[in-house]
Amino acid sequence: MKLYSDRIALPSFRRSLIGAAALALCSGSAFAINPFVVKDIRVEGIQRTEAGTVFSYLPVRVGETFDDKKSVAAIKGLYGSGIFKDVRLEQDGDVLVVIVEERPAIAKVDFTGTKEFEKDMLVKALKDIGVGETKTFDKASVDRAEQELKRQYLSRGLYGVKVTTTVTPIERNRVNIVFAVDEGEIAKIKQINLVGNKAFSDKELRENLALNTGGWFSWYTKANQYSKTKLTGDLESLKSFYLNRGYIEMQVESTQVSITPDKKDIYITINISEGEKYKVADYKFEGEMFGREEELRQLVLLRRGEVYSGERLTATNKLITDRLGTFGYAFANVNVDPQIDREKREVSFTFLIDPGKRAYVRHMNIAGNTSTRDEVIRREFRQFESSWYDANKIKLTRDRVDRLGYFKDVTIDTPEAQGTSDQVDVQLTVVEKPTGNFQIGGAFSQAEKFTFSASIQQANFAGSGNTVGINLNTSKYSRTIEFSNTNPYYTDDGVSRSFDLYIRTLNPPALNIGSYTIKQHGGRISWGVPFSEVDTVFFGAGLERSSITTDETSPVRYQDYVRDITGSPVGTAKTVAVPLTAAWARDSRDSALTPTVGQYQRVNLELDVVGESKYFRAVYEHQLFKPLHPKVTLALKGEIDYGHGIGDKPYPVFKNFYGGGIGSVRGYLSSSLGIVDTRYGDALGGASRLIGNAELQMPFPGSGQDRSLRWFGFLDGGQVYQEGQKMRFSELRFSTGLGVNWISPVGPLKLSYAKPLNAKPGDRLERFQFQMGNGF
C-alpha cells in the first residue's frame, strides 16, 4: 500500500490511501498524514448498512480537520462495530472517502440430527449469544455457539456428541448456517462407589442419591444419566443424611467421575470421611429477646442428651425467626455458634439473636390476577397496610387466598421497601386457573331415544368470586333442570349466601332395575357465618315436593316405602319436606386444591319436622393432611353418615347414601356397595354409611412447577347400611392401589387403579376408574 503525500503526489491518481497511514501510526511508525479540512464524506461498499451508521462511528464531521489522531479513531471505531470485515480511508481532494466491506448477515440457522432438544429452543438459545437470523456473521460467535451446543448435550449425558458446522454463502452477502449434530448414545451410570462409609451401608446411602444405575422408571426419570448438577445435589443429600444422625464433622473428601473410552459407561466414586457421632450437650441464647427467652426455649427442637440433628437445628432456627416475625421483626436474624467437645463427643449451641428493626408493611400488592378482581383477593387479607409486620397474618393471608380454589399457584414475598430500613412491601402473586366448566352434548339410542345435556359451572363468575351453575339434562328416562348461586361475601363481614332451585325426574326402564318414577322439585337457601379464621357455621331451610310411583315390577325397597306412606306397595306416594339445615366447618388447610398440611372438618345436620317426610340426616367428615417429607404428604379422610325416619315415618329412599367408586371405596363399581335388590341385583344405597381413606401423595416425576400433578398410593375401606342396621366393621370392603391427581386445563382429573382386598360373591368390581371434578 502506498502512503499519499501532496508533495509526492502522482498526477494520475486523484485519491490517496490514508487508512494504511492510520495503521502505521497505530504500530508506532514515523509515517504521518497531512491534515486537511473535510469538505464532504463519501461512503462506498455498503449494502445493508445505512450511511448514517458509518457516520456515527467517525470522529470527524464536514468542516472539521482530519488528522492522524482522528484517522486512528475512525479505523478503530469502524472495526470495533463488528459490522465490517475490512475498512479503508482515502482522500479525494477535500473529500474523505470511507470504503468498507461488510461482514455477511445470517439469513438462516438450521439444525439436523437433533432429537434431545426442540429446534425452536435451540434457535432461541443461540440467538441470545449472537448467532441468529439478521445477526452479523462472526466466526468467533459461531464457534462459541458450537461449543455451547456441545455443552448442552454433555449436560444430558450425551458425551459422544459430534457437531459439524457448515457456513454457506448466498446472494446479497448473506450466509446460511447449519449445525449437523450426531448425538451418539447416551452415557449411562454403570456404577456408584462409596468409599469410607462405616456407620451406614452402601445401600442406605444410595437411597439418598438422585443418581442411580437404573431401574424400571429410568426411561422417564433419567436417573441413570450423569449430571454435574444432580451429583452436587446428591453430595448435599449425603451431608444432610449424616448431619441428621449426629455426624456433625462428616465431609465429602473427593469425587471422581470417569467415562469409558467408548463414552457409554460412567463410573462415580465418592470418598467420605464420616467423623464421630455427637450428642447435644446444652444450648443457650444471646442477644435481644425482649424478655421472651423462656418462650423461645419452647421452640427448640433439640434436646439435651439426644443425637444431634441438622434438620432439627434448621427447623428451630426457622421457628425462632418466624416467632420474632409475629412481633413485627421482619428482618430478624438467628445465627448458631456450635461448640464441639471432641473428647466427650458432645456439641453445645449458642443461638445469637438479632431481631433488627421492627418493620411496618408499606404496600400490599397483587400480581397475576388477570380475571379475578382485586377486591376478591383483598378481602382475604389478614395483614394490612401501615400496620406492624406479622409473619402469622401474612401466612394466613396466603392460605386464605389459596383456599379460594381460583388459582393454580399462590406465592407471597416480603421485599424490603426501597429507601427505608423499617418497612416492607407484601407482594402476593397468583397464577389463574380455569374456574369454569361448560359442557353440551346430545345422543340417540334405541333405549333412551334422543338425549340432550348441557351444564355450565363458574366458580369465579366474571372474577367476582361468586359461583353460578346451570345444569340441564334431559332424556327419555330422566330430566334435570337446576340453577345454583353462591355469594361468599353476601355481607362485608364475610357472611355467605347460597341458594339453588331444581326439578328432577327419574323413570328408569323396567328392563334394568324395575319400573318406578321419582319426581322432585324444590329449592334451598343457606347462610354461612364465620366466627373465626377457620370456623364457619351454616344454617338454612328448603322446600321440596317429592312423589314416587311404583308398580308390580318396581324394586321391593321402593314398594316398601310407598306402602309405608299410602298403605299399598303399588301407587303414588307424595310428600312435602321442609328440611332445616345446620352445619359447622373448620378449614385450616393450606390449599383447597392441593393441600399439604392442615385439617378439614364438617358436620352437617338436615332435619324435617315441619313437613310430611319427618326424617333427619347427619354427616361428619374429617380430613387430615400431614407432610412426611417436603415432597410427600399423608392424607387421611374419615366419614360417617347416618339417616333415620322420625316417629313412624320411614327414611326417604331418595335420601339414601351410596358407596363404591372414587370418593369412597375405589375398586368397586360406583354406588354398588350395600344390600342389593332381591329381584334385579342392583344396589339401592342405605340410610347410613362409613368411609375411610388413606393416601400417600407425591409429585409426579417430571411435573416441574405444576404442584397439582401428583401420584398416590391409597388404602380405602367402607360400607353402606340399611335403616336400623347395625354398622359392623366385619362387613367393610377394602381396596388398595395407585392413582394420579391433576388439575388439568379442563378441570380436576383423578385416575386410579385398585385391587379389592376382601370382595365377596356378588360384589361388582371396577379396577380402573377415573373422575373429572373435585374428589378427595
Side-chain angles (χ1 to χ4, degrees):
M1 291 185 291
K2 294 183 178 180
L3 179 63
Y4 174 76
S5 172
D6 286 339
R7 291 175 292 179
I8 58 174
L10 298 176
S12 58
F13 292 91
R14 294 188 58 202
R15 300 199 310 190
S16 59
L17 179 67
I18 60 178
L23 293 176
L25 288 171
C26 291
S27 63
S29 175
F31 292 106
I33 299 171
N34 288 331
F36 67 96
V37 177
V38 177
K39 299 298 185 183
D40 194 14
I41 300 175
R42 188 166 69 247
V43 179
E44 297 180 359
I46 55 176
Q47 298 179 20
R48 302 179 314 277
T49 309
E50 296 290 335
T53 302
V54 177
F55 294 153
S56 67
Y57 289 101
L58 296 178
V60 65
R61 299 291 181 266
V62 173
E64 296 179 354
T65 300
F66 188 77
D67 55 17
D68 299 341
K69 186 175 180 181
K70 291 181 178 180
S71 176
V72 172
I75 295 291
K76 286 184 175 180
L78 290 170
Y79 270 116
S81 70
I83 302 174
F84 308 109
K85 182 167 63 174
D86 188 32
V87 177
R88 289 183 295 152
L89 300 178
E90 294 184 0
Q91 179 183 351
D92 187 359
D94 293 330
V95 177
L96 176 62
V97 181
V98 182
I99 305 171
V100 297
E101 182 181 352
E102 294 179 340
R103 293 182 183 276
I106 299 174
K108 184 179 180 182
V109 177
D110 198 7
F111 302 87
T112 62
T114 53
K115 300 176 183 177
E116 188 72 13
F117 299 96
E118 294 289 338
K119 284 188 178 181
D120 291 343
M121 187 272 285
L122 293 176
V123 168
K124 183 180 182 301
L126 295 191
K127 193 169 186 178
D128 291 340
I129 60 175
V131 179
E133 292 184 10
T134 73
K135 297 281 188 179
T136 301
F137 172 75
D138 178 63
K139 189 176 185 304
S141 296
V142 173
D143 290 341
R144 286 197 302 272
E146 183 177 312
Q147 294 304 314
E148 175 63 20
L149 193 58
K150 289 180 180 179
R151 191 183 69 81
Q152 291 296 328
Y153 273 98
L154 293 179
S155 69
R156 298 284 183 96
L158 289 158
Y159 292 93
V161 65
K162 296 178 182 178
V163 180
T164 304
T165 306
T166 303
V167 180
T168 305
I170 61 175
E171 72 280 358
R172 302 205 316 264
N173 195 26
R174 297 180 301 160
V175 296
N176 288 333
I177 302 176
V178 177
F179 294 94
V181 180
D182 179 5
E183 294 182 339
E185 295 185 17
I186 297 177
K188 305 291 180 63
I189 297 175
K190 188 71 173 178
Q191 189 174 346
I192 299 177
N193 298 313
L194 296 162
V195 180
N197 53 306
K198 299 176 182 177
F200 305 99
S201 67
D202 288 3
K203 182 180 179 181
E204 287 179 281
L205 297 182
R206 288 195 182 105
E207 289 176 350
N208 293 275
L209 304 180
L211 295 173
N212 58 51
T213 55
W216 287 102
F217 294 100
S218 296
W219 60 272
Y220 184 79
T221 63
K222 303 187 188 318
N224 60 341
Q225 297 180 20
Y226 171 75
S227 163
K228 185 177 181 180
T229 303
K230 285 184 180 179
L231 179 59
T232 301
D234 282 346
L235 298 182
E236 291 302 319
S237 296
L238 282 178
K239 291 179 182 178
S240 297
F241 178 83
Y242 272 95
L243 284 173
N244 293 337
R245 288 156 180 79
Y247 293 85
I248 197 170
E249 295 182 304
M250 179 269 182
Q251 294 289 331
V252 176
E253 294 184 331
S254 64
T255 58
Q256 293 88 38
V257 180
S258 58
I259 188 169
T260 55
D262 60 4
K263 298 184 178 179
K264 292 183 178 180
D265 296 325
I266 291 178
Y267 293 81
I268 300 174
T269 301
I270 303 174
N271 296 288
I272 297 170
S273 174
E274 291 183 331
E276 299 295 338
K277 188 175 183 177
Y278 286 84
K279 292 185 177 181
V280 177
D282 198 4
Y283 59 85
K284 61 181 179 179
F285 293 89
E286 291 184 3
E288 180 58 69
M289 288 168 281
F290 310 104
R292 297 179 178 271
E293 181 175 348
E294 191 57 37
E295 182 180 338
L296 297 181
R297 282 185 178 275
Q298 301 300 318
L299 302 176
V300 179
L301 302 178
L302 295 167
R303 298 289 181 265
R304 295 179 179 88
E306 292 184 351
V307 175
Y308 166 80
S309 170
E311 186 177 31
R312 290 187 179 182
L313 182 62
T314 301
T316 298
N317 254 16
K318 186 176 185 306
L319 288 173
I320 295 174
T321 302
D322 290 347
R323 186 59 179 162
L324 293 172
T326 63
F327 305 133
Y329 296 96
F331 311 113
N333 188 23
V334 179
N335 292 315
V336 179
D337 180 22
Q339 298 90 42
I340 299 175
D341 187 336
R342 291 181 174 82
E343 290 185 2
K344 296 182 179 180
R345 297 179 185 175
E346 292 180 341
V347 57
S348 300
F349 301 97
T350 301
F351 293 95
L352 306 173
I353 299 175
D354 177 16
K357 290 186 177 181
R358 197 175 186 189
Y360 292 88
V361 173
R362 186 180 66 171
H363 296 307
M364 297 282 293
N365 302 317
I366 304 172
N369 54 320
T370 54
S371 59
T372 305
R373 301 173 191 174
D374 272 15
E375 65 174 314
V376 173
I377 300 175
R378 287 192 179 277
R379 63 195 185 191
E380 304 299 330
F381 284 3
R382 293 302 178 262
Q383 172 70 61
F384 301 108
E385 295 178 345
S386 302
S387 63
W388 291 117
Y389 172 97
D390 189 324
N392 282 348
K393 290 181 178 179
I394 291 175
K395 181 182 182 300
L396 182 60
T397 294
R398 194 217 73 87
D399 290 348
R400 287 183 63 91
V401 172
D402 204 348
R403 284 201 294 265
L404 290 174
Y406 307 153
F407 309 109
K408 185 183 297 184
D409 192 28
V410 180
T411 57
I412 200 163
D413 297 308
T414 55
E416 185 176 356
Q418 293 185 357
T420 68
S421 60
D422 61 349
Q423 294 183 33
V424 298
D425 290 332
V426 176
Q427 182 71 40
L428 182 80
T429 304
V430 300
V431 179
E432 297 266 14
K433 78 174 188 68
T435 57
N437 185 22
F438 175 73
Q439 293 180 337
I440 185 170
F444 180 84
S445 67
Q446 286 294 108
E448 296 207 14
K449 304 303 180 183
F450 181 73
T451 302
F452 173 79
S453 65
S455 66
I456 181 170
Q457 182 79 17
Q458 179 67 57
N460 185 18
F461 184 74
S464 65
N466 295 347
T467 299
V468 176
I470 299 174
N471 183 31
L472 174 63
N473 190 306
T474 180
S475 70
K476 181 179 179 181
Y477 300 114
S478 66
R479 175 177 298 172
T480 299
I481 302 174
E482 186 173 0
F483 174 79
S484 61
N485 174 269
T486 299
N487 184 349
Y489 276 80
Y490 183 66
T491 70
D492 292 339
D493 296 327
V495 175
S496 65
R497 185 208 62 192
S498 300
F499 71 87
D500 66 320
L501 304 170
Y502 55 87
I503 299 175
R504 304 187 187 107
T505 301
L506 177 63
N507 184 20
L511 181 64
N512 292 341
I513 59 173
S515 175
Y516 64 91
T517 301
I518 296 177
K519 295 182 179 180
Q520 292 178 295
H521 56 274
R524 294 182 292 253
I525 187 168
S526 65
W527 290 266
V529 182
F531 64 93
S532 78
E533 292 295 346
V534 295
D535 295 286
T536 305
V537 169
F538 300 88
F539 60 91
L543 178 63
E544 181 178 83
R545 184 183 296 274
S546 304
S547 70
I548 177 168
T549 301
T550 59
D551 58 24
E552 291 78 4
T553 66
S554 301
V556 174
R557 185 66 56 183
Y558 290 95
Q559 290 181 345
D560 291 344
Y561 178 77
V562 172
R563 181 175 52 244
D564 290 338
I565 300 295
T566 66
S568 172
V570 176
T572 300
K574 296 182 178 180
T575 59
V576 175
V578 184
L580 305 177
T581 57
W584 164 78
R586 170 173 289 176
D587 191 352
S588 61
R589 297 172 297 174
D590 60 340
S591 172
L593 297 175
T594 56
T596 59
V597 65
Q599 298 185 52
Y600 175 78
Q601 296 181 72
R602 176 175 63 96
V603 177
N604 186 79
L605 176 64
E606 182 179 318
L607 176 68
D608 179 19
V609 294
V610 179
E612 299 171 349
S613 295
K614 301 293 190 298
Y615 70 92
F616 72 88
R617 195 172 189 260
V619 174
Y620 175 70
E621 178 185 359
H622 192 170
Q623 297 180 17
L624 172 66
F625 299 90
K626 183 177 180 59
L628 303 181
H629 182 270
K631 293 185 178 181
V632 180
T633 300
L634 175 65
L636 302 175
K637 173 191 170 184
E639 181 175 343
I640 182 169
D641 309 317
Y642 185 79
H644 203 281
I646 297 177
D648 59 350
K649 295 291 185 179
Y651 182 74
V653 292
F654 41 80
K655 294 288 184 179
N656 275 353
F657 299 99
Y658 292 86
I662 289 180
S664 57
V665 186
R666 286 160 282 204
Y668 295 84
L669 187 67
S670 179
S671 304
S672 68
L673 294 181
I675 295 177
V676 300
D677 182 69
T678 56
R679 292 183 181 177
Y680 304 99
D682 288 292
L684 299 175
S688 57
R689 178 175 64 174
L690 188 62
I691 299 292
N693 310 100
E695 290 184 359
L696 197 62
Q697 303 171 346
M698 290 159 279
F700 196 82
S703 59
Q705 298 300 315
D706 190 351
R707 63 190 179 117
S708 72
L709 180 55
R710 299 174 295 174
W711 71 280
F712 56 89
F714 64 85
L715 175 66
D716 293 343
Q719 185 57 280
V720 175
Y721 304 89
Q722 297 302 305
E723 184 178 11
Q725 182 183 359
K726 187 176 181 180
M727 292 186 179
R728 300 181 185 277
F729 288 97
S730 60
E731 297 179 1
L732 293 177
R733 298 294 188 269
F734 293 95
S735 66
T736 186
L738 299 173
V740 176
N741 263 336
W742 182 37
I743 302 177
S744 70
V746 296
L749 173 65
K750 195 164 198 173
L751 306 174
S752 68
Y753 181 83
K755 179 182 180 180
L757 298 177
N758 63 336
K760 306 296 183 184
D763 287 347
R764 302 172 68 179
L765 308 182
E766 189 176 61
R767 296 180 183 273
F768 177 76
Q769 296 172 320
F770 73 94
Q771 180 187 58
M772 292 290 294
N774 288 320
F776 176 76

